[in-house]
């Protein structure tokens, strides 16, 4: 059996029905209960949610704010902005349009506050609109400028014969055209087993890799762990290995020229996802002009090999 390492920070406690510790996208599979909410967490939340949810939330908040101010204008009296139509819905729509023009500081001129009360409310709304637009602009810049790796990991984790023994393999590629400078990778095995007391606990192993760092990566990189006597998988047959309650936790870091700093990305594979006796199809080749072609459609392609 391979040499154990100390708990890397994930906890040794486990369960018979425990799911994967880390999702395939690198996020940890943790449900937070009774977590105190702080206003300072709002920026972190808004920077990290998807673009779709960010813009959907932005439009929803904008709509609700303008609807609220429209109700305020109605309570003051729509006559202080525009003559009443005699219908509440039509008056609300006019108040909403006036609120939108005030909030965005557009001010078409067709409607304007005619009284002191409406003037005070519209001034407050215009100031609030300027503040929120500045806030959203800062968030958009923060989302664009946030250093983030763009590594694509292979869908498949394969196990095949290799160098008179066996090896676990997966591969990765940079989704951007930029070159990954000095990429380095570490793979940790988390293996859940039952102890003498009947409780389940995690054991952690640092897997030895054929190469854990390279100078640069313009194409693909196949990560290889040979199952030799030093491997924690050495005692398992292929079929027994797949049945183990285990997970490979992958972390890669490299220097990114776009952000002028080191970036990180994590990924996870569970052992029951292993494809036996397969190999990756080469994803790059040369054309007639001698140029190297990297075909991303071939990146996840595997083919069977004889055991």
């Amino acid at each position: 059996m391979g040499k154990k390492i100390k708990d890397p920070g994930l906890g040794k406690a486990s369960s018979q029905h425990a799911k994967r510790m880390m999702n395939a996208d690198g996020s940890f599979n943790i449900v937070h209960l009774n977590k105190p909410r702080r206003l300072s967490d709002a920026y972190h939340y808004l920077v990290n949610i998807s673009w779709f949810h960010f813009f959907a939330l932005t439009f929803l908040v904008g709509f609700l704010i303008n609807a609220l101010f429209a109700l305020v204008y109605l309570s003051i009296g729509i006559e202080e902005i525009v003559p009443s139509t005699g219908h509440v819905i039509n008056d609300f729509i006019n108040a909403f349009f006036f609120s939108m023009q005030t909030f965005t500081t557009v001010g078409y001129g067709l409607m304007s506050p005619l009284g002191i009360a409406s003037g005070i409310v519209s001034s407050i709304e215009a100031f609030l609109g300027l503040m929120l637009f500045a806030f959203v602009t800062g968030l958009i810049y923060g989302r664009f400028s946030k250093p983030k790796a763009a590594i694509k990991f292979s869908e498949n984790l394969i196990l095949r014969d290799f160098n008179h023994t066996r090896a676990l393999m997966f591969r990765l590629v940079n989704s951007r055209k930029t070159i990954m400078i000095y990429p380095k990778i570490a793979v940790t095995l988390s293996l859940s087993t039952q102890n003498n007391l009947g409780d389940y606990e995690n054991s952690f192993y640092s897997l030895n890799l054929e190469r854990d760092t390279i100078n640069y990566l313009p194409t693909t990189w196949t990560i290889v762990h040979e199952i030799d006597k030093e491997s924690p998988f050495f005692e398992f047959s292929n079929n027994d290995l797949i049945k183990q309650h285990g997970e490979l936790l992958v972390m890669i870091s490299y220097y990114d020229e776009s952000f002028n700093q080191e970036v990180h990305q994590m990924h996870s594979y569970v052992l029951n996802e292993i494809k036996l006796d397969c190999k990756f199809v080469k994803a790059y080749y040369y054309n007639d002009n001698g140029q190297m072609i990297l075909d991303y459609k071939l990146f996840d392609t595997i083919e069977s090999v004889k055991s």
Side-chain angles (χ1 to χ4, degrees):
M1 200 70 169
K3 184 179 179 181
K4 289 185 179 181
I5 62 173
K6 293 183 179 180
D7 174 17
L10 299 171
K12 299 191 68 174
S14 184
S15 169
Q16 181 181 3
H17 306 291
K19 295 184 178 181
R20 62 195 307 163
M21 294 182 176
M22 184 185 296
N23 299 312
D25 62 0
S27 61
F28 285 97
N29 192 20
I30 300 175
V31 178
H32 297 269
L33 292 179
N34 302 318
K35 180 183 179 296
R37 298 182 181 273
R38 298 176 299 177
L39 186 61
S40 58
D41 294 335
Y43 176 81
H44 181 269
Y45 171 78
L46 293 172
V47 166
N48 287 280
I49 59 176
S50 67
W51 281 106
F52 174 80
H53 289 97
F54 174 77
F55 283 115
L57 183 60
T58 301
F59 285 118
L60 176 62
V61 170
F63 176 83
L64 293 177
I65 290 176
N66 283 279
L68 177 62
F69 273 99
L71 292 176
V72 173
Y73 292 127
L74 282 181
S75 65
I76 294 174
I78 193 64
E79 295 81 5
E80 291 202 12
I81 299 172
V82 68
S84 176
T85 62
H87 299 281
V88 176
I89 295 178
N90 292 336
D91 288 345
F92 174 80
I93 292 175
N94 285 332
F96 183 83
F97 287 156
F98 173 73
S99 175
M100 286 289 295
Q101 295 171 26
T102 304
F103 188 77
T104 58
T105 68
V106 173
Y108 290 116
L110 297 178
M111 293 184 287
S112 61
L114 303 177
I116 296 177
S118 59
I120 293 175
V121 174
S122 61
S123 298
I124 295 174
E125 183 180 12
F127 180 73
L128 178 62
L130 288 173
M131 290 184 59
L132 288 180
F133 272 106
F135 180 68
V136 171
T137 301
L139 285 173
I140 292 176
Y141 173 78
R143 292 175 63 89
F144 272 112
S145 62
K146 179 185 175 183
K148 187 177 181 180
I151 301 171
K152 177 177 173 58
F153 292 85
S154 60
E155 294 181 356
N156 300 297
L157 175 67
I158 65 175
L159 174 61
R160 53 167 295 194
D161 292 338
F162 183 78
N163 287 348
H164 307 292
T165 180
R166 299 172 296 160
L168 272 177
M169 301 180 186
F170 63 91
R171 68 180 177 183
L172 54 91
V173 67
N174 188 8
S175 296
R176 302 190 182 109
K177 291 185 178 181
T178 56
I179 304 299
M180 298 166 56
I181 306 298
Y182 294 121
K184 50 186 176 182
I185 190 168
V187 181
T188 302
L189 167 67
S190 171
L191 200 60
S192 178
T193 55
Q194 191 174 20
N195 58 25
N196 296 330
L197 301 177
D199 298 324
Y200 285 83
E201 60 181 17
N202 294 315
S203 299
F204 299 97
Y205 305 86
S206 180
L207 298 188
N208 296 323
L209 305 177
E210 182 185 42
R211 298 184 69 182
D212 58 9
T213 183
I214 54 178
N215 291 337
Y216 33 77
L217 181 61
T219 56
T220 63
W221 184 12
T222 301
I223 309 300
V224 179
H225 167 68
E226 292 192 42
I227 304 180
D228 52 20
K229 293 182 179 180
E230 301 297 323
S231 171
F233 301 121
F234 184 73
E235 298 178 356
F236 299 115
S237 66
N238 288 357
N239 292 326
D240 289 338
L241 194 154
I242 296 177
K243 297 177 182 178
Q244 298 304 307
H245 191 177
E247 183 177 1
L248 298 185
L249 307 172
V250 183
M251 186 174 73
I252 183 170
S253 59
Y254 65 94
Y255 182 83
D256 192 292
E257 292 180 316
S258 301
F259 302 107
N260 287 326
Q261 68 181 74
E262 190 173 71
V263 294
H264 311 270
Q265 188 167 331
M266 294 183 288
H267 193 75
S268 169
Y269 294 99
V270 290
L271 297 184
N272 59 20
E273 295 176 341
I274 292 177
K275 303 293 184 181
L276 292 176
D277 299 325
C278 295
K279 68 176 182 179
F280 290 110
V281 173
K282 186 176 293 187
Y284 61 91
Y285 52 88
Y286 288 89
N287 61 15
D288 296 336
N289 297 324
Q291 293 177 305
M292 181 181 290
I293 306 298
L294 177 59
D295 191 344
Y296 288 87
K297 289 185 178 180
L298 299 176
F299 177 73
D300 287 314
T301 305
I302 59 175
E303 60 184 9
S304 177
V305 295
K306 292 183 178 180
S307 175

